[in-house]
Each structure stands twice: as C-alpha cells, then as structure tokens.
Amino acid sequence: MRSLNVIKTPTGVQAPHPLVTLRGNESGLPSHDLPSVESLVASLRPEEPLHCIRPLAITAAARAFAAGFPGDVLYAVKCNPEPAVLRAVWAGGIRHFDCASIAEVELVRRLFPAAIIHFMHPVKARFAIREAWTKHNVRDFILDSEAELHKILEETGQAAAAPSVTAERPGLFVRFALPETGAAINLSQKFGAEPEMAAALLRAARPVAARLGLAFHVGSQCLAPAAWGEAIAMAGEIIRAAGVPVEVLDIGGGFPVAYPDMEPPPLSAFMAEITTAYEALRMPGLRLWAEPGRALVGGGASVVVQVQLRRGEMLYINDGVYGALSDAGALRFRFPTRLIPARPRPGAPDAPFGFFGPTCDSLDVMRGPFFLPADVAEGDWIEIGQLGAYGACLRTGFNGFDRATLAEVRDGPMMGTPGYGPERE
Ligand SMILES: *Cc1c(COP(=O)(O)O)cnc(C)c1O
C-alpha cells in the first residue's frame, strides 16, 4: 500500500503560536476578581505582547445588544473566536452563532453543546456542509447562487430531482448584495445575489426549505443607521417580487464601535431605524435576526506592547500588522493608546506617534497618529485598546513574532461603545 505524502507544517513558522493563557475564567460567569491591566504589567513586566480580554465588557455589550434588538442575535464568530471571548458572549445571553467554516462550527459545538449554529458563508466546501449537517446539528445554510443551493441540497441528503417527503430539510437563507453603504469595510463586492436573482433563489428554495430567510450585510463598522433602513426596504421589495412566504430577515452585522476618529451614533439609533423600517414592511410573519461581531467584542480586548526603540516620532514596538494590529496598517484604523511607563516619571503632554511593527517588512507600519506622552521611551509599555474585533484572530506566524500571552482582566473598554459605557456592567 502506498502511503500518502503528507507535507508537515514546520513548527513555529506558518501556524501562529497559540496564545498562552495566564488565567482562564472557564465558568463563563462574570468574574469581578480578575486582575487589572496595570497590576498585570507591574507583575509580569511583559517583553512579548500581552493580550487582555475584558469578559465583563463583552458580556455587557452582548446583553445590551440583545436587549435592544427586536429579534434573535447571532454572534459572528470570525470576529473573535477566542474561547474566553465566546464564553463572555454566552454569559451575555447569546445562544445563536454565525459560523463561516467547519472549524468555527466545531469550536462552538465543543464549547456549547446547546448552541444553535448557523452556517452563514455563501460559498462552502461540500465536506463542511455535510459534517455541519450530520455531525454538528447545523440546520441553517446561506447561499447566493443556484449552484450553492444544489450543493447544500445534495450534501444534506435531499435528492435534487425528487426530495423525499420524510427527509429532514435544511433552513435556507438567500444573501443579496447591497449598493455602497458608507461602511468602513464593504462586504457586498464578494458575496450577495442581485435583487432579481435573490427573488428567483427564494422561489427556488421555498419548496425544499424547512424555513426560508433573506439576508444582507451592510459592511463592517457602518456608522449610518440609515444603511439598515434602506437595506430592509430593499429586502421587502425582494420578498414581494419573490411572491413566496419568508420567515426570517437577517440584517447581518456591521454595527460600529468607537475609535479615536470614529464616534458612532448610540446603539439605540440603529435599533430605532431598524424597528421603523421593519414595521413599514407590514410582514408580521417575518422574524428579524442580526449577526453582530464587532459591536459585541470590539471594546473587549487590548494588547499591551513594549517599546523597543524610539526614532523621533516613530516607535518600534513588539506587535504589528502581522500580529494583532492588522487594521492599523493598510486600513489605517486608529486605536486608543495609553502609556504604562517602565519607570515612574512626571507626566509629559501628549504628542502624535507612529509605530513600526517587529517584522522586517516595511509594510509593517502603523501611521496612526497615536497620542502618547511626549517622553515615551524604550522599555515603556503601551496599551492599545478596542482590539477585540479582528485583532488577535488575524495574527500570523510571519518572521517568528507570534508569541504572546493572554490574560482576562477586569478593566472596562478603553472607549465607550454604543449602548453601554465602560462603567456599566
Ligand atoms: C463579518 C460578518 C459579520 C460580522 O460583521 P461585524 O462588522 O463584525 O458586525 C456578520 N455576518 C457575516 C455574514 C459576516 O461576514
């Protein structure tokens, strides 16, 4: 028998080093006896990045979102799949999870046997559909093409030609594309059917669907509540054009959090716009779902980095765009920063700084500007906040700078997040 030629991943090069957890709050219950960031830095004096998860802030944000949203809330796992984060989301009452890969499905199922998991990536591997359906009790799948509809039907055991009346049917969701919404990150260029196609897909899916849904995503970090109002009105037109009953309207994610140069309207403004637009549809049989990622976890993590060298207004730090600071690179997100000085000093006034990450790539630069006391020096620590969303989950092993420690802390978010403040729990 010939053995397969398996290529092994060289250790420590391609796969990011797992975050070493200092202390886990495995219970998932709100824990007020966690250390503060400051006390951790004082005791550890960390020379590699220290990721600080704020479970209380995440739980509070999840609760606030679920309390304000008139429907079911699915957490978008890709935004931050760290188990400590997922436990905090669960503690906030979230029971539905939007997964995009079989690995995310397995992770959520392992942590929460009772979770309701939805497979919301419009293009899936066949084996992933099959395993989600047969092994992990996933019942809802999204699509934006006829080819994907057939794939889902085949892999969930529905003979395409003559579906058996007894076979259990999947829930089917159709994603449609939106015109430009003004979000920081557009998510309709890659996915989503045009309106007529979406209506045709709803008609095609109806007879074979256990439940039928229509979905959209306005794009990530969308500051305009009106984007949801317009998209919901468009969804209403598509449902009317399809002429078949639809049970769920999934309004996606995209809800923003505050960053130093982005102050979003309060969460209540988004909820008011959504409620008004939904009521204008006059479709009482239609339930609302949302898939927030960033809004639940954006304020829920920071990274403490150390200054390795100062060159004028540029600081060489030990994390960068190949680590947890990806969005500070090409996307030029600015994050809140605070200095934790290595030696006590009288305070200096703030000045603007840029960062160089630790890799040898000249693209590993974050121009900010980030505001820090003008006397920041080698050996000082900088806490960089609002990194709960699309931070640690984008780390790579590039150049070997992927070792980091993870700790849960009791601090609030470094900036207020719509719907809840740092003090509210
Ligand atoms: C990324 C994504 C989300 C979450 O988006 P946020 O901007 O983090 O709220 C939700 N749904 C889908 C389908 C996504 O791709």
Side-chain angles (χ1 to χ4, degrees):
M1 213 174 96
R2 267 182 46 202
S3 64
L4 290 173
N5 190 7
V6 178
I7 299 167
K8 292 219 173 72
T9 308
T11 46
V13 178
Q14 287 170 348
H17 201 282
L19 296 168
V20 177
T21 306
L22 270 188
R23 169 188 170 158
N25 169 25
E26 299 288 321
S27 69
L29 296 170
S31 175
H32 296 265
D33 61 354
L34 294 167
S36 69
V37 172
E38 210 135 346
S39 69
L40 266 181
V41 172
S43 62
L44 298 172
R45 305 188 71 78
E47 295 189 68
E48 287 176 329
L50 174 67
H51 292 243
C52 299
I53 304 259
R54 294 150 152 78
L56 298 170
I58 295 168
T59 298
R63 281 217 183 97
F65 196 99
F69 182 68
D72 292 331
V73 179
L74 290 60
Y75 171 60
V77 173
K78 79 163 187 287
C79 187
N80 192 328
E82 177 59 44
V85 168
L86 294 172
R87 280 192 289 269
V89 166
W90 180 272
I94 306 300
R95 297 293 176 266
H96 294 260
F97 293 82
D98 157 11
C99 292
S101 64
I102 196 67
E104 288 182 357
V105 170
E106 286 167 355
L107 170 68
V108 172
R109 185 54 80 220
R110 192 166 67 242
L111 288 175
F112 313 118
I116 305 149
I117 303 176
H118 313 270
F119 210 145
M120 297 311 227
H121 190 306
V123 183
K124 294 165 284 301
R126 283 182 178 270
F127 89 93
I129 300 170
R130 209 159 55 234
E131 287 191 8
W133 176 256
T134 56
K135 282 198 201 161
H136 302 291
N137 198 30
V138 175
R139 288 296 170 266
D140 295 321
F141 298 85
I142 206 160
L143 57 107
D144 64 2
S145 66
E146 221 182 305
E148 187 76 7
L149 173 60
H150 290 307
K151 221 199 259 178
I152 295 166
L153 293 178
E154 283 166 18
E155 299 305 330
T156 58
Q158 326 286 311
S164 121
V165 268
T166 52
E168 194 192 349
R169 289 174 174 169
L172 295 171
F173 286 70
V174 174
R175 170 137 162 206
F176 71 95
L178 290 171
E180 213 37 74
T181 59
I185 297 141
N186 182 309
L187 292 173
S188 284
Q189 285 168 350
K190 188 165 170 184
F191 299 122
E194 292 304 315
E196 298 93 280
M197 180 52 147
L201 288 169
L202 286 175
R203 277 193 298 272
R206 179 70 277 181
V208 286
R211 59 176 165 188
L212 188 61
L214 183 63
F216 61 80
H217 198 299
V218 298
S220 202
Q221 184 68 7
C222 180
L223 299 176
W228 278 268
E230 287 159 23
I232 290 169
M234 241 178 112
E237 286 166 28
I238 292 170
I239 293 171
R240 288 210 166 81
V244 294
V246 174
E247 287 97 5
V248 180
L249 175 58
D250 179 348
I251 63 159
F255 301 90
V257 299
Y259 296 101
D261 52 356
M262 285 189 243
E263 191 48 61
L267 187 62
S268 57
F270 293 85
M271 298 308 176
E273 172 84 21
I274 288 162
T275 303
T276 304
Y278 168 72
E279 282 169 357
L281 294 183
R282 303 191 171 279
M283 294 180 178
L286 189 69
R287 284 183 67 76
L288 284 178
W289 289 8
E291 303 171 350
R294 190 187 300 274
L296 305 197
V297 303
S302 65
V303 178
V304 176
V305 299
Q306 193 173 32
V307 179
Q308 297 177 324
L309 189 92
R310 173 170 177 175
R311 179 175 291 164
E313 273 61 62
M314 291 302 289
L315 304 175
Y316 290 77
I317 59 174
N318 58 1
D319 201 11
V321 304
Y322 295 97
L325 300 171
S326 172
D327 285 351
L331 287 178
R332 297 212 54 173
F333 268 61
R334 286 175 52 206
F335 295 100
T337 43
R338 82 173 161 126
L339 189 72
I340 306 177
R343 285 160 296 280
R345 298 189 293 265
D350 277 358
F353 289 92
F355 299 149
F356 284 125
T359 72
C360 304
D361 187 343
S362 53
L363 290 178
D364 194 359
V365 61
M366 298 145 277
R367 302 249 167 232
F370 304 98
F371 287 88
L372 290 162
D375 63 354
V376 54
E378 191 255 323
D380 285 345
W381 288 279
I382 300 167
E383 184 181 20
I384 307 176
Q386 303 300 86
L387 282 172
Y390 310 108
C393 61
L394 296 174
R395 291 190 318 137
T396 75
F398 180 45
N399 234 176
F401 292 107
D402 54 344
R403 297 200 314 189
T405 305
L406 176 82
E408 291 179 71
V409 298
R410 65 159 180 259
D411 301 53
M414 280 175 71
M415 294 186 71
T417 303
Y420 71 102
E423 292 80 30
R424 275 185 53 192
E425 277 168 3

